[in-house]
Amino acid sequence: MKTAVIQFPGSNCDGDALHAAQLLLDQGAQFVWHTEAGLPQGTDLVFLPGGFSYGDHLRSGAIAARSPIMQAVKAHAERGGYVLGVCNGFQVLTESGLLPGALSRNRDLHFLCRPVHLRVENTGTAFTSAYTKGQVIEVPIAHGEGNYYADPETVARLEGEGQVVFRYVDNPNGSLNDIAGIVSERGNVLGMMPHPERAVEALLGSEDGRGLFDSLKGALVSR
């Protein structure tokens, strides 16, 4: 699975994203700077990593969502290509309109950095097929603005269409309906606040994030 990890000014989880991709998906995974106009030929997965793009000025992800590379990312998604946005990457996806809703300040207004438990709600996606429905996994979070919000109609649609794929067991940030991760209507774009790329080796305290990357690998093979 040819993987492009997008780098914005202020990204700080791009190295983790690249390491996980090279370890589990594509030894040739590469960085793509935000000013590029296009993605590498044959890209299968675009990975938008965590961090503080543009210092979180205006709103988290707001400026990055208007970077030149995002036109190529949107076109990639429209063609059915896979897009994974983690933490700040999730914020970029909502700001760019690739996913609905918004991420606001955590309920208690504190930056949170610790492992959390997630329940896998939908295993019928390219990102979750290696898990079992209802499985509880441990993945770390590191964010100050991870409180997911959307209007009632949007939340009802996400729930009704099975687009909520990860849910917090013990909600750390106030997200509506304990939402930790959602997919697009077509299921090819995933945004989540927790960091699966930081849970792929026992040395890191959990390997539960591997299931996401194993799912993606399987999805490409079955295409």
Side-chain angles (χ1 to χ4, degrees), residues 14-195:
D14 45 339
D16 298 331
L18 187 72
H19 172 72
Q22 290 178 338
L23 179 69
L24 300 173
L25 293 177
D26 170 23
Q27 290 183 346
Q30 60 186 291
F31 289 130
V32 175
W33 189 236
H34 70 113
T35 57
E36 295 293 325
L39 297 168
Q41 183 88 22
T43 295
D44 299 299
L45 170 68
V46 174
F47 198 148
L48 302 176
F52 302 91
S53 58
Y54 291 92
D56 282 349
H57 290 301
L58 298 182
R59 295 179 306 277
S60 298
I63 300 177
R66 290 152 181 81
S67 292
I69 192 61
M70 288 305 297
Q71 292 303 314
V73 174
K74 288 180 180 179
H76 174 76
E78 289 169 2
R79 292 192 298 269
Y82 297 119
V83 180
L84 169 62
V86 172
C87 198
N88 189 223
F90 187 8
Q91 295 161 344
V92 173
L93 289 175
T94 59
E95 288 285 347
S96 65
L98 282 169
L99 287 175
L103 286 307
S104 62
R105 293 293 300 277
N106 292 342
R107 175 182 51 211
D108 297 327
L109 305 182
H110 293 151
F111 185 88
L112 301 172
C113 184
R114 64 172 186 260
V116 298
H117 291 100
L118 309 177
R119 185 170 60 250
V120 181
E121 298 286 4
N122 181 356
T123 58
T125 79
F127 301 93
T128 57
S129 62
Y131 295 113
T132 58
K133 184 175 173 58
Q135 181 178 349
V136 174
I137 62 175
E138 184 178 281
V139 181
I141 58 170
H143 60 252
E145 298 183 337
N147 186 346
Y148 182 78
Y149 174 82
D151 62 79
E153 293 79 9
T154 297
V155 172
R157 185 176 72 252
L158 291 173
E159 296 285 7
E161 298 297 325
Q163 290 175 245
V164 177
V165 293
F166 294 112
R167 204 182 301 273
Y168 296 111
V169 174
D170 294 303
N171 191 333
N173 54 31
S175 290
L176 280 179
N177 290 23
D178 305 323
I179 291 172
I182 60 173
V183 291
S184 59
E185 290 184 15
R186 295 176 64 183
N188 61 311
V189 179
L190 167 66
M192 60 187 299
M193 289 308 298
H195 288 265

Side-chain angles (χ1 to χ4, degrees), residues 1 3 16-29 45 47 131 196-201 207-218:
M1 172 171 277
T3 304
D16 298 331
L18 187 72
H19 172 72
Q22 290 178 338
L23 179 69
L24 300 173
L25 293 177
D26 170 23
Q27 290 183 346
L45 170 68
F47 198 148
Y131 295 113
E197 79 282 7
R198 291 180 172 173
V200 297
E201 297 172 283
E207 296 181 279
D208 290 348
R210 295 180 73 102
L212 187 148
F213 297 96
D214 290 342
S215 299
L216 279 167
K217 187 184 296 185

